[in-house]
Amino acid sequence: MFPSVVFKSGNNGPGILGGPEGGPSDPSGLSPLGGQTPPWLDICTMDRDLSEDDSVVDLSFEAESPLAPPAELLERLPSYDWLFQRGGQQIMFPPLEAPGRPLEQRCWSSFLEHRVPLVTEEVAREALLSFVSSKCCYGSTAAGDLIIQELKQQTLCRYRLETFSESRVSEWTFQPFTNQSVDGPQRGTSPRLWDIKVQVPPMFQEDTRKFQVPHSSLVKECHKCHGRGRYKCSGCHGAGMVRCPSCSGAKRKAKQSRRCQMCSGSGRRRYERVSPAPRCSTCSGRGSKTCATCKGEKRLLHFIQLVIMWKNSLFEFVSEHRLNCPRELLAKAKGQSLFKDENTVVYPIVDFPLREISLASQRGIAEHSAALSPRARVLQQRQTIELIPVTEVHYWYRGQTYVYYIYGTDHRVHVVDYPDRYCFGCTII
């Protein structure tokens, strides 16, 4: 296993390179402004000695650095030649896994003998009292004095399918080169993405890790500053001092022949009483800034980074019911396990007494297969059926009838309209 390496390269996250979806930027995006110097720049620098500008590039208006320099600056790696194919797209098919055995026909009668304990009036009242005590503005008087009129109970089936998959993408990335060891193509051929062995996290726990592909490192001149390590400050345009606020750097005020008194005709200097620190605050008076791409090192270490993502996809279905308890609450409710099937590949349930559960199993497995098979490798699947008890409680209090619901094996409560509520700033859940 190769050690995990995470580099911050100023990019916007992993992408599949080699085409419009995130390939190397067009070289034209790196060229400075067409050679024309704006008139105001001539005014601002006319008194500046520009003899040292030969080692500083003006990148004041250039876009952020791409993930990699133009393709012609990098060497082709045999295992990753597709990174240079403009207009193409990387399609990485994971190794095929041998399918598991189909689910044998089961006798569901033994499973359906599981019965969730019925909710009695005492249990219903205790559940409501516990719910009310957890709310800051719910009074307990109604919960203690209400008269329960009817308990409507129903047991639902919840089907869940989890598919734990692994996908891999690669990208060019870089870091400043500080004379560290270079693991380049001269040391061997880079392994293909799916040949790189890594430690898989625990099943059904999502994670993302980054690794440096062996033998893919290349040292090249920084494509942002062209190997100079610095670029001209955009705040003062290389002058080191900000423009005079009185003449705006023109050395003379408009419609006046004499030089500006505030800067003494320099276009930059300002009297001490106006500003004791005329230096540019952006570059601290240096006139240039360290290249943010190479951190002043002038060269970059480019390499291919492997990004592995483990994802747990979830499909969920709750059987139809006649009660008005919100379905989103039932999806989160704690249930009693009725059936569990876990394998590399699970097969649809076809003979469950509730046909809608069998259909949900077939639909969930088909959806996950269609979504994941072209781009990821399925590591494990797990399907479960749980029993979710739901009780609709009708009660009478002070001449009116109200309703609340008790759901899940842990007796969670959903109140529709509680009569003993003395503020309106809370949300009923």
Side-chain angles (χ1 to χ4, degrees):
M1 185 188 76
F2 301 101
S4 174
V5 184
V6 179
F7 298 108
K8 294 183 179 179
S9 57
N11 57 58
N12 292 325
I16 300 178
L17 303 186
E21 297 297 329
S25 299
D26 190 273
S28 62
L30 293 175
S31 60
L33 296 176
Q36 297 295 327
T37 305
W40 52 262
L41 187 57
D42 286 334
I43 296 176
C44 296
T45 58
M46 60 187 305
D47 287 343
R48 168 84 168 166
D49 182 6
L50 301 180
S51 60
E52 61 185 34
D53 280 2
D54 294 337
S55 61
V56 178
V57 181
D58 185 3
L59 300 179
S60 306
F61 302 96
E62 189 172 353
E64 292 297 322
S65 299
L67 289 177
E72 61 268 16
L73 296 183
L74 298 178
E75 302 172 22
R76 293 180 179 271
L77 304 179
S79 300
Y80 295 84
D81 192 59
W82 40 262
L83 284 175
F84 298 96
Q85 298 173 2
R86 301 285 296 181
Q89 184 178 12
Q90 174 193 10
I91 303 178
M92 295 176 297
F93 292 100
L96 295 177
E97 298 287 346
R101 298 180 60 185
L103 186 65
E104 298 179 357
Q105 190 168 0
R106 296 178 178 271
C107 179
W108 293 103
S109 59
S110 60
F111 288 98
L112 294 179
E113 290 176 359
H114 289 78
R115 289 291 182 267
V116 178
L118 295 177
V119 173
T120 63
E121 289 190 8
E122 181 181 359
V123 172
R125 190 183 300 274
E126 290 178 354
L128 182 60
L129 284 170
S130 177
F131 170 80
V132 167
S133 64
S134 66
K135 301 298 179 180
C136 64
C137 52
Y138 279 55
S140 60
T141 302
D145 297 342
L146 61 82
I147 298 176
I148 295 179
Q149 296 177 318
E150 185 180 9
L151 298 175
K152 293 183 178 181
Q153 306 193 39
Q154 185 177 358
T155 300
L156 312 178
C157 286
R158 180 177 61 200
Y159 172 82
R160 276 179 177 164
L161 171 67
E162 296 174 271
T163 301
F164 188 60
S165 62
E166 174 185 325
S167 61
R168 299 187 176 194
V169 296
S170 62
E171 62 182 359
W172 276 109
T173 187
F174 54 79
Q175 63 174 349
F177 178 63
T178 56
N179 296 319
Q180 65 266 47
S181 177
V182 180
D183 181 17
Q186 69 278 4
R187 294 191 178 182
T189 302
S190 297
R192 295 185 180 275
L193 294 188
W194 287 100
D195 293 335
I196 300 177
K197 304 298 182 182
V198 298
Q199 182 67 40
V200 179
M203 291 297 168
F204 306 106
Q205 292 186 19
E206 295 187 340
D207 196 6
T208 299
R209 299 178 192 170
K210 299 180 181 180
F211 303 86
Q212 181 175 342
V213 174
H215 316 318
S216 66
S217 299
L218 306 168
V219 178
K220 296 294 178 180
E221 178 185 273
C222 176
H223 52 277
K224 185 69 179 286
C225 66
H226 306 293
R228 293 175 174 86
R230 302 184 69 82
Y231 60 87
K232 189 177 294 184
C233 174
S234 60
C236 63
H237 307 288
M241 295 178 290
V242 294
R243 286 182 292 173
C244 173
S246 179
C247 64
S248 300
K251 303 182 181 182
R252 292 176 175 82
K253 289 187 177 182
K255 300 180 181 180
Q256 292 186 7
S257 57
R258 61 180 183 178
R259 64 183 183 180
C260 175
Q261 296 182 352
M262 181 173 289
C263 63
S264 300
S266 66
R268 290 286 175 176
R269 297 180 180 278
R270 293 187 287 179
Y271 283 129
E272 193 76 7
R273 68 173 183 270
V274 177
S275 176
R279 296 185 303 172
C280 173
S281 59
T282 303
C283 64
S284 300
R286 296 184 180 91
S288 63
K289 297 181 65 177
T290 301
C291 176
T293 300
C294 67
K295 309 299 183 185
E297 299 294 340
K298 303 181 181 180
R299 291 188 294 172
L300 297 172
L301 177 68
H302 297 268
F303 56 91
I304 297 176
Q305 182 172 253
L306 169 64
V307 183
I308 304 181
M309 292 163 284
W310 290 277
K311 182 181 179 181
N312 190 39
S313 302
L314 177 64
F315 175 89
E316 202 165 51
F317 173 81
V318 178
S319 62
E320 292 297 327
H321 59 92
R322 300 181 300 274
L323 306 179
N324 293 324
C325 187
R327 185 170 291 271
E328 60 270 16
L329 296 180
L330 301 178
K332 302 176 182 178
K334 185 177 180 180
Q336 178 176 314
S337 178
L338 179 66
F339 168 76
K340 179 180 178 181
D341 176 28
E342 183 174 333
N343 211 326
T344 303
V345 176
V346 298
Y347 283 78
I349 299 170
V350 295
D351 55 352
F352 192 74
L354 285 178
R355 187 170 180 270
E356 56 183 337
I357 294 296
S358 297
L359 293 177
S361 175
Q362 297 172 32
R363 185 170 68 253
I365 292 175
E367 289 182 5
H368 281 193
S369 177
L372 298 174
S373 57
R375 58 180 179 84
R377 179 176 65 181
V378 174
L379 302 181
Q380 196 82 348
Q381 285 188 307
R382 178 170 62 196
Q383 58 180 345
T384 60
I385 300 176
E386 296 173 284
L387 298 179
I388 309 296
V390 182
T391 302
E392 185 178 84
V393 183
H394 294 257
Y395 66 95
W396 182 90
Y397 180 73
R398 292 186 178 179
Q400 294 189 35
T401 300
Y402 302 90
V403 175
Y404 68 92
Y405 294 89
I406 302 174
Y407 61 95
T409 56
D410 53 350
H411 297 161
R412 296 291 184 94
V413 173
H414 170 68
V415 177
V416 177
D417 186 14
Y418 188 66
D420 192 8
R421 183 179 175 188
Y422 44 84
C423 84
F424 301 92
C426 298
T427 301
I428 301 176
I429 60 172

